[in-house]
Amino acid sequence: MLALRIDFLNGVYHAANPAAHATSEWPPHPDRVFQALVATAYGTGIDPQPLRKLEGLAPEVAFADASAARTGSIYTDAASLGKPKRRPWGRTKVVKYDPVRVGIGGPVYLIWPDAPSDLQEPLAAIATGVTYLGRAKTPVAFSLVDEVPEMPHRLAPSSTGDQLLRVPHAGRLDELDAAFDAGQRASVAGMVRYTDVAERVAPSPWGELLVLRPAGVVDMRRAVQLASGLRAAVLSRAGDGASPLLHGHAGDHAAWAVIPDVGHTHARGHVLGLGLWLPHGIDDSARADCVLPLMQVKHVNFGDRQVSVGLPPAHQQTPHGLWRRTWCAPSRTWASVTPVVLDRHPKRGQRVEEVLADSVEMAGYPRPVDVQVSQWSAVRAAPLARAFSPRGRGCWTHVVLAFDRRVGGPLLVGKDRHFGLGLLRPVDDSRVVR
C-alpha cells in the first residue's frame, strides 16, 4: 500500500470544479494531486518519470467534511476612471468567483493499495517539495504515511458509484509535458466513478415502486383522490383475500403512489404514474399478493372522473420521473413535491417545525437538523400546498428537510403518506458539506 497525506495548513482549499467553475472541488481530485507532484518534480530538479507508475491507478480517497464557500472580486474597467477602454466589448465590470472549501476537518489521504513498492522512495522525495494545491493561496504539506486512520468519508472506485473524480490516465505525464511546451492549458483528465464506502446512508423503510401509466393528463393536485381510487380498484381485484399490505388493517402496509412530473425545465405537474411503494424487505409471496391485483387494474375512478391505466409498451422509453433513482438517490436535503400533512396539531408554544421533525422520525427516518416550511415547493412545477386537499382535517405544508447525513429514499412523511401526500424528492446539494 502507498498512502499520501495532504494537510491543508490554513484549513482552506481554493480550487474550482472543472465541470462547474463557480463551485468548489472536494475532495481534491487525484489528477490535481498528480499535477502538483509533476510540477514540483520539475521545479525541484527531480526526475518525474517514476510518477508514470501512478497513471491509470485510481486511488481511494479518505477525507473529512468541509464547507463550501465562494468569494467574489469585482474588476472595474479603466474606462470608468476616464481612461481609454482596454476591452473592445465595452464591459465595465467583471465578477470573478473564487470557490473555496473552508473548515476542513482533517487531512486528506490518497491510498493506492496496488502501487509498486519501488515508488515509495521517489514519491516521498517529490511529495516533500509540494507547497500548494490548486491555487497558490492553498498552502499544503504532502507526506507519505504507513497507516490511514478512520475518516468520515472514504471514496473507492466503483462501476456503480455516484461521484466522479478526475484520475490521471495512462500517458498523462506526456500530455502535461506537451501542454507545457506549447504554452497551453492541459486537457481535463478522464473521470472515474467512486462510491463512499465509509459513509453509512440512512435507509428508507420503503423499497420497490410498482407503477402504472395513466392514459390521459391528470393533475397532481388530485393526489389523494387518485390514491384512494387506486386503492379501491386494487382491493376490488384482490377480493376477500386481499393482502394486509393493501388494506392496511394489520401492521405494515404499502403506500399508494402518485408520481408527478416535476423538477425540470419543462415539467407540467401532471401525473406520470400511479402505483405502490412496497415496504422494504417483504418476501416474494407478499410482493406477488400486491403485484397481481395491481396489474389487473384498467381504470381508476377519482371524484367524477375516470382515467385508464396500464403498463406502458415495452418499446416506450421510461421518463426520468419514473426512475427509482429520481426519488431514492441518497441526499442530505429533501424537498416536498406534495405537501406534508402534520400527524398532530402543535401543542401550545410548540413550533410547526418541531412537529414535522417528529413526523419524519415517526415515518422511519433520522431526525432532520433543519426544517423549513412554506406554501411554495422548492421543486419546480409542484403546486402550492393549499392547492391540495388531504383526507381529513388538519394542517399541511411544503417542507425542505436537511439531515446530518445522506438519507436514502423514497421519503414519505406525514399523516397522509400512504395516500399520495408527503412525497419528497432529493435535492441536488452538490455535496454542500463535503
Side-chain angles (χ1 to χ4, degrees), residues 399-410:
V399 301
V400 176
L401 305 177
F403 298 90
D404 61 359
R405 54 177 162 157
R406 290 204 295 166
V407 176

Side-chain angles (χ1 to χ4, degrees), residues 12 34 76 168 227 272 278 287 299 348 367 431:
V12 300
F34 182 81
T76 303
L272 291 175
L278 297 181
R287 179 184 182 277
H299 305 281
R348 184 183 298 273
R367 190 175 185 86
R431 305 293 184 263

